[in-house]
Amino acid sequence: MKSILVTGGAGFIGTNFVYFMASKGYSLRVLDKLTYAGGKDNLEPLMAAGKVDFVVGDICDAGIVKKSLSGIDAVVHFAAESHNTRSETDPGLFYNTNVDGTRVMLEESFTAGVKKFIHISTDEVYGSIVDGYFAENDKKLGDSQATSAYSKSKSQADDLAIEFGRSYPVIVLRPTNNFGPWQYPEKALPRWITNILSGSKIPLWGEGLQVRDWLFAPITSQCIEFLLQKGEAGNAYNVAANHNPEITNRKAAEWICELLGVSSDEWIEFIPDPRPNHDFRYALNVDKISQLGFKPAVDPFNQFRDTVEWYKSNTAWWKKRKEEAESIYKQ
Ligand code: NAD
Ligand code: TDX
């Protein structure tokens, strides 16, 4: 399992994963369409060192996918349209990339004889849960538990991957909200950090009482490598940090203020919730992956600190993305 094709490797989690796997000596090829969310600049140092082969292309294009699969042992499939807010205005793009693109990736991978395929799904396929935790078998066939075009399209893609997993070596991973370096500043944590760094307040939606289970992206990378080695084909696995106490959006915003040395009373502003059917709480049962031997290092405040430090040290990276990211909230 040495030669890996990473779809969406120029996006947020993909970039973290490519750096992690390059440090372990894997042979890596990235297939990425370079949408607004993809940055070839992320991977420039690895490409210059000859550690990554980069193919610009669309996962919906069977011809380019077929070529990209030449000499590949395993596929890690991140490529997707990933933002709930954008899916409110352009749902068709989400179904096209996330469902049809996943179908093309699965079909071409097994025609090419790939030995393992890790499909990156999401906690959002289960929907929101007030109390308790969703286990892997709680996902029903179809997209009725999901609430946005993003999560519905990811739910349909997850079903396809599970279906292929009855005949081929597919593993489905359902991670909770990731955060860390290289996250596009449309998403909550990088938006809030870069707002403060540019003199704007944190816009907290509603009362900020929603709960997200923040998982540090470098930990997700470790988890995927673990599954490439030890994951059982045909299975879905949850991965989460399971914070105790849980972290409300308000707490996350207060931590960011604290880490940036500003007063949360002055720098957080509560605004009417703009998101239709805003999921209140995501929470996953991780017994299955724990029993297999994967236990994430959970240290959220320090992982938030590392993330804040990364944005402070990489101003040029986020400044060129900030205006486009903010434009989606002005419509
Ligand atoms: P991202 O939006 O940062 O990156 C997506 C990448 O996919 C970009 O590089 C983009 O250019 C590429 N891409 C988009 N459409 C493509 C296409 N048609 N062909 C080829 N490449 C294409 O996303 P992310 O946050 O890194 O998420 C990666 C995966 O993890 C997604 O499948 C997402 O659903 C899942 N996920 C994300 C989170 C999270 O909190 N970010 C949590 C759970 C699961
Ligand atoms: O400015 C904001 N203010 C705010 O209160 C933004 C951008 C968000 N929020 C809230 C909404 C959510 O409760 O913060 C929470 C996190 O929002 P997002 O970053 O948009 O993420 P979310 O919708 O939870 O989805 C994320 O996790 C699951 C990823 O974007 C998905 O790709 C992943 O599947």
Side-chain angles (χ1 to χ4, degrees):
M1 225 56 86
K2 268 308 199 190
S3 180
I4 319 270
L5 178 67
V6 184
T7 72
F12 157 51
I13 311 180
T15 296
N16 279 277
F17 179 70
V18 169
Y19 273 92
F20 175 79
M21 295 297 273
S23 75
K24 299 257 171 165
Y26 287 87
S27 160
L28 298 160
R29 182 176 301 146
V30 166
L31 171 62
D32 199 297
K33 187 181 171 186
L34 296 178
T35 67
Y36 78 94
K40 212 173 176 183
D41 55 336
N42 297 354
L43 300 176
E44 235 31 284
L46 291 178
M47 291 190 304
K51 292 187 174 170
V52 175
D53 175 19
F54 200 104
V55 180
V56 180
D58 190 333
I59 54 165
C60 300
D61 176 345
I64 194 113
V65 170
K66 202 186 288 284
K67 280 192 203 133
S68 306
L69 283 162
S70 163
I72 292 294
D73 299 320
V75 174
V76 180
H77 175 44
F78 293 102
E81 287 294 335
S82 70
H83 193 35
N84 277 304
T85 299
R86 288 181 198 256
S87 78
E88 291 162 16
T89 45
D90 196 0
L93 176 64
F94 283 69
Y95 287 103
N96 190 38
T97 297
N98 298 357
V99 187
D100 209 44
T102 297
R103 176 190 62 77
V104 172
M105 286 308 306
L106 288 161
E107 284 178 1
E108 294 303 328
S109 295
F110 297 115
T111 303
V114 158
K115 296 199 262 314
K116 214 163 204 178
F117 187 112
I118 312 251
H119 171 71
I120 309 300
S121 185
T122 167
D123 57 357
E124 297 199 23
V125 300
Y126 300 108
S128 181
I129 187 166
V130 177
D131 293 307
Y133 301 85
F134 283 122
E136 287 80 356
N137 288 340
D138 292 326
K139 182 186 175 330
K140 299 178 184 67
L141 199 63
D143 63 16
S144 61
Q145 292 160 282
T147 55
S148 70
Y150 164 68
S151 52
K152 283 185 183 294
S153 64
K154 289 294 289 186
S155 184
Q156 291 180 21
D158 185 304
D159 287 348
L160 269 176
I162 294 285
E163 186 58 39
F164 268 78
R166 296 187 211 288
S167 316
Y168 299 104
V170 180
I171 289 172
V172 173
L173 179 64
R174 300 179 184 140
T176 52
N177 282 59
N178 272 233
F179 69 101
W182 293 291
Q183 189 168 28
Y184 197 79
E186 65 190 353
K187 305 281 167 49
L189 261 48
R191 182 180 190 208
W192 300 345
I193 295 166
T194 56
N195 268 16
I196 293 185
L197 290 175
S198 31
S200 309
K201 294 186 181 182
I202 293 177
L204 210 49
W205 298 350
E207 296 176 51
L209 297 177
Q210 295 82 6
V211 170
R212 296 293 182 267
D213 185 333
W214 298 104
L215 185 66
F216 197 36
I219 306 286
T220 307
S221 301
Q222 291 172 6
C223 177
I224 296 167
E225 192 204 17
F226 172 84
L227 289 178
L228 279 167
Q229 292 167 354
K230 303 229 170 84
E232 288 168 26
N235 278 269
Y237 296 93
N238 290 339
V239 64
N242 284 172
H243 299 294
N244 185 12
E246 292 184 338
I247 302 171
T248 60
N249 288 345
R250 184 173 182 163
K251 173 52 74 184
E254 286 169 355
W255 276 0
I256 284 168
C257 289
E258 182 180 339
L259 289 163
L260 286 165
V262 299
S263 148
S264 53
D265 287 342
E266 286 167 30
W267 286 81
I268 295 175
E269 72 179 333
F270 291 88
I271 65 163
D273 194 338
R275 181 168 287 177
N277 310 312
H278 189 167
D279 286 341
F280 187 73
R281 174 176 176 266
Y282 298 135
L284 300 185
N285 175 313
V286 294
D287 289 352
K288 188 172 174 182
I289 203 162
S290 298
Q291 278 155 17
L292 199 65
F294 185 78
K295 295 196 174 64
V298 178
D299 186 5
F301 187 73
N302 284 316
Q303 293 163 345
F304 271 47
R305 184 197 306 278
D306 290 349
T307 305
V308 166
E309 288 305 315
W310 188 87
Y311 283 89
K312 278 167 74 178
S313 310
N314 288 275
T315 312
W317 185 90
W318 61 261
K319 279 207 164 159
K320 65 178 166 193
R321 290 158 166 92
K322 184 73 178 160
E323 193 181 336
E324 195 285 336
E326 280 305 305
S327 69
I328 64 167
Y329 296 109
K330 295 195 174 106
Q331 285 154 7

